Amino acid sequence: MVATLVSLLTFTGAAWGGYSLVLEPAVVNADRPPYATVQVGGSIGLDGKGVAGVPVALRLDGPSRQLLAADQVSTNQDGKFGTLLPLPVGTKSGTATLVAAAAGTVAQQQVDIPLLPAAYYGSVKDASGQNVASGKVEAYIEGRKAGEIDFSNGFYGGSEGLAPKLVVSGTEADRGKPVVFKVNGILTTPNPSVVWQTGDVRRVDLTVTQAK
């Protein structure tokens, strides 16, 4: 799929005369769901009217021109298109370039990507395997509290794309450092153990194993 998209973006010689391609300002979802994604949208027009069913190839390149994400969508009945481009774990902050190609035309814009936080969700159990009813999950990096979220019914956050998660903010210096989780102030054993990475969205189940 990616190879096909790259081909579409680099070879657009079969132009459809008179078509216009407009990109809306891209939105980076950093600390809100859906986490570590870029919302992309725009429209295809002809003689001032939207055109349905036009394939649009999208590519997002990072500051070093590396491919971050690519997709292909089609315009709806109003000539509009939109999609979410997921950012890879470890995406560096900086200015990315979004390129769209459709109907023989190309449009591009600069997208400022901040230092993305990590986002976690998962179960909360005690040492006997029973759900912890409710409370607060906190995350720490080298003793600094980097995020917190309330939980209930033995689960914090949610797996769905739009579900809230435990957002853990860090710096470039925090890359690769262990993330420590506490439940209601008590240390836990995470499964799996994690180190902090930008844009890392994953499930981490917590077991309370130590006394406060």
Side-chain angles (χ1 to χ4, degrees), residues 25-28 38 40 60-61 63 94-98 109-114:
V27 176
V28 180
V38 179
V40 177
L60 183 66
D61 289 331
T95 301
T97 302
L98 173 65
Q109 66 176 236
Q110 303 301 302
V111 181
D112 291 328
I113 298 179

Side-chain angles (χ1 to χ4, degrees), residues 8 16 21 44 51-58 72-75 81 101-104:
L8 284 170
W16 299 356
L21 167 58
I44 300 289
V51 183
V54 179
V56 182
L58 299 165
Q72 182 170 317
V73 297
S74 295
T75 56
F81 63 89

Side-chain angles (χ1 to χ4, degrees), residues 32-189:
R32 61 186 178 185
Y35 302 99
T37 59
V38 179
Q39 177 69 55
V40 177
S43 60
I44 300 289
L46 178 63
D47 297 329
K49 297 181 179 179
V51 183
V54 179
V56 182
L58 299 165
R59 177 186 175 110
L60 183 66
D61 289 331
S64 300
R65 301 182 65 86
Q66 76 277 21
L67 177 64
L68 295 179
D71 198 1
Q72 182 170 317
V73 297
S74 295
T75 56
N76 63 16
Q77 61 183 5
D78 299 318
K80 296 182 179 180
F81 63 89
T83 191
L84 285 170
L85 297 178
L87 294 169
V89 174
T91 296
K92 294 184 177 180
S93 58
T95 301
T97 302
L98 173 65
V99 181
T105 62
V106 176
Q108 70 177 46
Q109 66 176 236
Q110 303 301 302
V111 181
D112 291 328
I113 298 179
L115 188 65
L116 300 171
Y120 308 118
Y121 62 95
S123 63
V124 184
K125 298 182 181 297
D126 61 23
S128 64
Q130 300 300 308
N131 288 342
V132 178
S134 62
K136 186 184 298 291
V137 175
E138 299 169 311
Y140 293 80
I141 302 174
E142 290 196 328
R144 172 183 61 85
K145 187 162 75 171
E148 65 179 31
I149 189 173
D150 293 331
F151 74 93
S152 61
N153 301 318
F155 209 90
Y156 72 100
S159 60
E160 296 81 8
L162 294 177
K165 295 174 175 59
L166 171 57
V167 176
V168 179
S169 300
T171 67
E172 287 289 352
D174 291 326
R175 289 179 184 267
K177 293 181 179 178
V179 180
V180 175
F181 298 88
K182 292 183 179 181
V183 171
N184 297 332
I186 304 173
L187 286 170
T188 70
T189 299

